[in-house]
Amino acid sequence: AEERPSRRRMRLFIAARARFAEDSLSAALERGVRQLVVIGAGLDTFACRSPLRNRLRIFEVDHPATQAWKQERLKDAGIALPDSLTFVPVDFERESLAGSLAAAGNPPDTLAPEFRAWHDRRAAHVAELGEAWVSYFETDALRSRLAEIGFSEIEDLGPKDIAMRYFPERDMAAPEKGGHILRASKS
């Protein structure tokens, strides 16, 4: 059976998001960056599989229950944790990101209609796991806020930018609204 266009588009978006993050990280390493913070790491295995892991100190931030569950899954799968990985459990309803990172050693309204049902199902699923989504960001407001607090380099890719950068050979119409991939750094 052929995959539905909205599901196919979401898979492409997820692949582009991973590629964007890893391309950005490679460029940052060339500029001397030596730490990576992954917020909402979930089941991401970058720290275990990437050849870059030995050049970085990696901090994975997520809900304590999610991290405990992930660590059990990795153990069950026989996947070793690299020395460069630090888990940073944070309950964002009770703890701050900055405080938790320091303690660990580190000095939806805009969704396109075709993604709304997927988003709602996903949000319900993570809420059942005890980690409800409580934050949604408007792109312009987030970009402005990041600039206000000192991030000098902000790269924000919307759906069309993602499609053009990572899937130029595909003939697909990217929605006007939808998920964004954002990278911000301080010089």
Side-chain angles (χ1 to χ4, degrees), residues 49-180:
R49 64 180 163 75
S50 173
L52 301 175
R53 70 182 177 270
N54 295 326
R55 296 174 56 193
L56 288 167
R57 184 154 181 220
I58 302 171
F59 297 86
E60 286 195 0
V61 179
D62 215 325
H63 191 274
T66 301
Q67 286 193 333
W69 182 74
K70 175 183 182 170
Q71 290 176 55
E72 281 298 312
R73 300 295 72 74
L74 291 170
K75 181 181 172 187
D76 292 347
I79 297 173
L81 300 178
D83 292 336
S84 60
L85 174 61
T86 301
F87 287 100
V88 183
V90 178
D91 181 344
F92 285 108
E93 292 183 12
R94 296 176 184 85
E95 302 167 288
S96 77
L97 175 61
S100 298
L101 281 169
N106 179 284
D109 293 328
T110 60
L111 290 177
E114 60 267 29
F115 295 131
R116 174 59 61 194
W118 175 88
H119 172 273
D120 291 345
R121 284 192 308 274
R122 184 76 175 137
H125 177 70
V126 296
E128 288 173 9
L129 296 174
E131 190 175 351
W133 286 346
V134 295
S135 299
Y136 297 90
F137 300 102
E138 290 292 331
T139 304
D140 293 338
L142 178 59
R143 194 172 33 246
S144 294
R145 180 65 181 131
L146 288 168
E148 286 173 16
I149 60 173
F151 286 90
S152 56
E153 185 178 331
I154 301 169
E155 185 176 12
D156 177 11
L157 301 181
K160 287 186 179 208
D161 302 312
I162 294 165
M164 288 186 330
R165 180 179 291 187
Y166 295 108
F167 309 107
E169 71 285 352
R170 297 185 186 262
D171 184 24
M172 62 183 250
E176 290 291 322
K177 291 186 174 184
H180 279 239

